[in-house]
Amino acid sequence: MATLGATYDRIRGQLQDYQRVAAGVIGAWGLWALIGALFIWAAVDERQLFVIGLIVGSVLALGAIGLTLIYGILRFGNFAHGDTMMLGAYVAFFFLTGLVKEERRDTSIGFGLGDLPGATDRLGDLSFGYGFLLAAAGAAIVLIAFSVGLDRLVYRKLRQRKSSIVVFSTAAIGVAFALRAVLLIIWGPEPRTYFAGITPKNEYPFDILLKTNEIFTFLVAVGSAAVVYVILFRTKLGKSMRAYSDNPELALVSGINTDRVITWTWVIGGVLLAVAGVLLALQANLKPELGFELLLPLFAAAILGGLGKPQGAFVGALVVGVCQEVSVAYFSAGYKPAVAFVILILILLIRPRGLFGSST
Amino acid sequence: MISPNRIVSASVLFLVAFFVTALPFERSGFDAEGTVSFLTTFLTTVAIYGIFALALNVQWGYTGVFNFGVAAFFMVGAYTAGIVTKPPDDSEFVQYIGGFGDFLSPDVLDSEEWLRFVVGTAAAGFASGLLAFLLSIPTLRLREDYLAIATIGIAEVLRRMVIEEGSVVNGTNGLVGIPRPFGGWFDPSDYKYAMLVIAVVVLVLVFIAVERGIRSPWGRVLRALKEDEEVVEASGKNVFAFKMQGFVLGAVIMGIGGSVFAYARGSIGPDSFTHFFATFLFWAMLIVGGSGNNWGAVAGAFFVWGIWNISLQLNGYDMPGVLQTRVFYIRDFLIGAMLVMILLLRPQGLIPEERRVSIWVDRRMRRLQRKQPPPTAEAGP
């Protein structure tokens, strides 16, 4: 046993040495340079995939920002994040199809509440009309209620009991699977789409083909991220959130209302998830399993940027999105999760605190 | 003195046992033989899942290592055992690497019946432990959640690799016809009883090994680690090494469990190792049963798998339309909700963690008690 322990000691010592060397060679600036080089190469060599990657990354960013905010304020990895995003997407789906005329109604839902205005309209080249925006707003309201309600019912009780972070994460996992089961009970395992039919691809400079849907997605995602940035860095609420995230004890002493900060964290996270969910569902088929599969890229993005740092999560999500899409040119599309996983392991080996993380 | 909590736990377990026996009995038209056959399969599965609950208990219940990708180690163990015990692939439609079954079956000591399975199980444990060792290098020194997401990742990536690289372990079709241990000694229709014995023997061996390990000084360091890493570090223990040992030991047991699963099923495919089935269920078993207690882990395996089977039996009864087709998802929901409820209402689980685990102290106390009977109320001051 003693020799085994000594061997472990030696291995650990060596690992720490390697890591120190790696951290020295590839510090934060090295990492930025690496990402820059990757982006330039991708932009030159795989233009089309690069642009698609940016769009996918901007949607991922909304989820990753919420994840990293919750991590910063509540100090646990919310493993229910992907499934909550799916809940938002499915609620919007319900507003679009469960509420409208008989022929568009999803057969597995046995009731309809009447017409949602504009649900079948189309705006120009887009595949949707203003009904879609109403449905997205409805999804956002449902997700706010869900997130805040869940915090009151589950996480607040655990906070009062001063449970360890792992108990929070385990509870989140329970929530994730229960939520996925609810989606399966109501909508079943079949893939769903918001709008049938195809929309044309337009040509843009540098031979890039894009649907108007995709441009809309990118603009909305970046716009939402900008709004969050303004809230966090230009308002008093944002200031207290950042202060709480940096040092909870100090924030408490300086009279910051913890409950208010936590509630607003869930509200912002919920709205971002609803937006991300509906944007994602515009691009791809909705499946209940998608929620859990999203966890890996979301966490990879949040950790790459430095957990607790929203601006890091944004950059990280763009990197993960671009890497995943560009990888399709070289590997099978089934390996997209593997790309996120490799990024995750690399960043944990080289610089666990991420791009924006502080030294502690 | 029996505490009310123990009575509640015992009656809950008894209730599950009753329904697991009574429902198939009623549904098969009071056919005793069919019920026994059903119970044999049921208990075999409980024993196999009990091995996983014990392994997870070593990792999370004792060491405090947050493995949320049990599926990865399960899968590696099962596939390794399959490859080691099967003969090489023989057609272009069935492709996999290796197939050492024939090589391991020379006519020594009738080894056809046991050698390849011993080697298969050992290889499964080794492969799974190696994976845990590699994974622990970047993650174990960081906070618990990093390991959780890394293990989720490796489980997903390995499952994708099995699907994408069709020629490594036969892709989505999976491995079929994995040989049965001692299969030649029994009539195929009676083999399930032999499998039950094998699974229970492995479970008991694992249980004894884990109990001995935890009641040793080594095990007490692991338990201390879960409570407070800094205190352990301050008392001169190598935190990283102990955490790695706990993680790797748990993974080895998962590999062994995976090999038993492969022998019992006879065929495995990537669909057998989904996140829900191969990870979440074991977590539910451990948390419901009581993390930090080996009896709790096994009781949890019995309880959750019992609930699972009861809902399976309920499926046959008349139910309104949507419920009929989606009853399985309702069960999934109930198990997820049950996990959250247990964490909120009874975090210690059915059988709570013991405060003191030490063979030495237990033995010493018993000896002391035998020498001088414990002071009674009258004798006290």
Side-chain angles (χ1 to χ4, degrees):
Chain A
M1 218 55 211
T3 50
L4 206 64
T7 315
Y8 274 122
D9 265 346
R10 211 172 50 241
I11 292 174
R12 186 176 75 145
Q14 278 169 356
L15 280 174
Q16 279 174 343
D17 288 348
Y18 289 141
Q19 202 158 22
R20 221 167 287 135
V21 171
V25 175
I26 313 172
W29 290 109
L31 213 54
W32 277 110
L34 207 67
I35 291 169
L38 186 83
F39 269 40
I40 291 168
W41 166 77
V44 173
D45 245 34
E46 303 286 347
R47 252 167 306 167
Q48 178 69 31
L49 289 173
F50 174 71
V51 173
I52 298 289
L54 283 182
I55 294 164
V56 171
S58 69
V59 177
L60 281 180
L62 300 185
I65 289 172
L67 192 67
T68 216
L69 278 178
I70 291 169
Y71 189 93
I73 305 281
L74 293 126
R75 311 257 152 197
F76 76 96
N78 182 12
F79 290 104
H81 214 66
D83 291 276
T84 317
M85 193 196 277
M86 280 302 108
L87 175 70
Y90 270 101
V91 167
F93 177 75
F94 169 75
F95 284 131
L96 283 170
T97 55
L99 283 178
V100 296
K101 292 189 270 319
E102 196 65 43
E103 66 264 26
R104 289 252 315 130
R105 190 180 298 154
D106 175 18
T107 44
S108 73
I109 300 164
F111 57 95
L113 301 174
D115 283 2
L116 179 78
T120 49
D121 283 5
R122 283 180 167 214
L123 288 171
D125 268 354
L126 295 167
S127 69
F128 54 86
Y130 68 97
F132 170 74
L133 303 180
L134 289 180
I141 292 167
V142 171
L143 278 205
I144 290 173
F146 173 81
S147 300
V148 176
L150 195 68
D151 183 68
R152 291 284 179 276
L153 275 176
V154 178
Y155 300 125
R156 186 155 77 172
K157 292 234 170 67
L158 295 177
R159 270 201 302 281
Q160 282 163 354
R161 211 190 283 149
K162 300 209 184 322
S163 304
S164 74
I165 45 164
V166 187
V167 175
F168 280 92
S169 292
T170 317
I173 283 161
V175 169
F177 279 95
L179 201 53
R180 198 192 69 166
V182 167
L183 299 183
L184 282 164
I185 291 168
I186 303 177
W187 286 282
E190 305 86 12
R192 309 278 182 182
T193 39
Y194 281 175
F195 304 98
I198 41 170
T199 48
K201 282 186 173 180
N202 301 323
E203 204 175 319
Y204 290 89
F206 303 109
D207 305 327
I208 292 164
L209 291 171
L210 285 179
K211 292 177 182 173
T212 317
N213 265 5
E214 290 165 339
I215 293 172
F216 171 84
T217 300
F218 185 72
L219 292 179
V220 170
V222 173
S224 312
V227 170
V228 174
Y229 184 86
V230 170
I231 292 177
L232 281 175
F233 290 90
R234 295 281 180 275
T235 66
K236 208 164 172 229
L237 170 74
K239 207 171 179 181
S240 46
M241 280 174 73
R242 283 184 298 128
Y244 191 84
S245 163
D246 276 347
N247 190 337
E249 282 88 17
L250 197 64
L252 273 179
V253 174
S254 35
I256 287 172
N257 184 345
T258 313
D259 251 13
R260 190 165 157 268
V261 165
I262 288 173
T263 308
W264 274 104
T265 308
W266 286 110
V267 169
I268 294 173
V271 173
L272 285 177
L273 276 183
V275 177
V278 294
L279 291 179
L280 192 78
L282 270 186
Q283 314 295 328
N285 284 338
L286 265 184
K287 272 181 299 180
E289 296 89 70
L290 208 56
F292 208 78
E293 288 169 17
L294 275 169
L295 273 186
L296 197 54
L298 287 182
F299 267 96
I303 291 174
L304 175 58
L307 274 174
K309 302 286 172 191
Q311 67 275 44
F314 186 79
V315 177
L318 290 186
V319 174
V320 171
V322 167
C323 289
Q324 282 195 335
E325 291 305 319
V326 172
S327 79
V328 174
Y330 302 91
F331 307 102
S332 152
Y335 280 126
K336 278 185 192 177
V339 174
F341 181 72
V342 169
I343 294 174
L344 177 78
I345 292 295
L346 281 181
I347 193 74
L348 288 184
L349 276 172
I350 299 171
R351 195 179 158 84
R353 71 183 110 123
L355 281 172
F356 288 86
S358 47
S359 55
T360 45
Chain B
M1 194 45 206
I2 300 171
S3 71
N5 274 344
R6 280 196 173 190
I7 298 174
V8 171
S9 301
S11 40
V12 163
L13 287 174
F14 178 77
L15 214 65
V16 169
F18 172 76
F19 277 111
V20 163
T21 322
L23 278 176
F25 195 49
E26 196 267 349
R27 289 194 48 74
S28 63
F30 304 101
D31 170 20
E33 205 171 313
T35 311
V36 169
S37 156
F38 167 81
L39 281 180
T40 310
T41 328
F42 171 76
L43 288 176
T44 310
T45 317
V46 167
I48 295 172
Y49 289 174
I51 298 171
F52 285 98
L54 281 175
L56 199 57
N57 197 20
V58 171
Q59 293 186 338
W60 163 233
Y62 291 127
T63 320
V65 172
F66 196 27
N67 175 3
F68 206 73
V70 181
F73 305 98
F74 188 174
M75 191 160 79
V76 165
Y79 271 107
T80 308
I83 280 175
V84 170
T85 53
K86 269 172 75 71
D89 56 346
D90 49 3
S91 79
E92 55 180 311
F93 302 110
V94 181
Q95 289 184 320
Y96 49 87
I97 290 176
F100 305 104
D102 294 339
F103 173 71
L104 286 169
S105 300
D107 287 328
V108 197
L109 287 172
D110 200 9
S111 67
E112 199 178 334
E113 294 300 346
W114 57 272
L115 182 61
R116 62 164 103 177
F117 299 102
V118 172
V119 175
T121 301
F126 177 78
S128 177
L130 186 68
L131 179 68
F133 174 75
L134 293 177
L135 209 55
S136 70
I137 292 172
T139 51
L140 266 191
R141 259 167 302 111
L142 307 168
R143 261 181 51 156
E144 287 93 330
D145 335 35
Y146 289 91
L147 181 68
I149 191 68
T151 47
I152 288 178
I154 192 79
E156 183 66 29
V157 169
L158 283 178
R159 209 163 67 83
R160 291 301 175 106
M161 276 173 78
V162 167
I163 294 169
E164 296 289 332
E165 306 299 327
S167 59
V168 177
V169 280
N170 206 21
T172 41
N173 296 325
L175 295 180
V176 284
I178 296 167
R180 298 165 143 182
F182 309 107
W185 296 3
F186 300 94
D187 191 51
S189 63
D190 286 338
Y191 185 74
K192 52 181 177 289
Y193 303 111
M195 197 60 233
L196 174 63
V197 173
I198 293 170
V200 169
V201 165
V202 175
L203 174 70
V204 169
L205 288 178
V206 167
F207 190 95
I208 292 171
V210 172
E211 277 283 300
R212 291 298 294 208
I214 288 310
R215 285 167 199 283
S216 72
W218 177 79
R220 284 193 292 281
V221 175
L222 291 193
R223 289 194 2 139
L225 257 181
K226 191 195 170 191
E227 299 302 325
D228 196 331
E229 274 181 30
E230 278 162 27
V231 170
V232 177
E233 182 114 58
S235 41
K237 305 286 180 196
N238 185 342
V239 168
F240 179 68
F242 274 98
K243 270 170 98 171
M244 186 187 263
Q245 287 162 11
F247 183 44
V248 170
L249 176 67
V252 168
I253 298 174
M254 283 169 190
I256 293 171
S259 72
V260 180
F261 178 84
Y263 303 149
R265 279 292 178 86
S267 60
I268 48 174
D271 286 347
S272 323
F273 307 102
T274 56
H275 282 296
F276 184 85
F277 200 73
T279 300
F280 181 67
L281 212 56
F282 300 137
W283 269 93
M285 287 170 180
L286 182 64
I287 301 283
V288 170
S291 66
N293 188 316
N294 290 327
W295 289 104
V298 178
F302 175 78
F303 180 79
V304 172
W305 194 244
I307 299 255
W308 186 276
N309 268 278
I310 290 170
S311 68
L312 213 73
Q313 298 290 331
L314 286 178
N315 190 29
Y317 292 95
D318 279 342
M319 268 187 282
V322 177
L323 280 182
Q324 192 78 51
T325 52
R326 306 225 165 122
V327 66
F328 298 120
Y329 304 134
I330 295 176
R331 169 188 65 195
D332 293 4
F333 169 76
L334 287 179
I335 289 179
M338 184 169 71
L339 180 71
V340 179
M341 295 299 279
I342 287 272
L343 284 174
L344 284 177
L345 303 176
R346 196 181 154 81
Q348 71 273 37
L350 286 173
I351 305 179
E353 187 173 352
E354 290 168 87
R355 260 173 39 116
R356 186 187 68 235
V357 290
S358 162
I359 301 172
W360 191 81
V361 174
D362 287 347
R363 208 180 289 154
R364 187 89 190 155
M365 296 274 275
R366 239 175 283 136
R367 204 173 297 158
L368 279 174
Q369 277 170 0
R370 224 176 296 141
K371 264 184 198 156
Q372 43 184 189
T376 50
E378 296 93 279

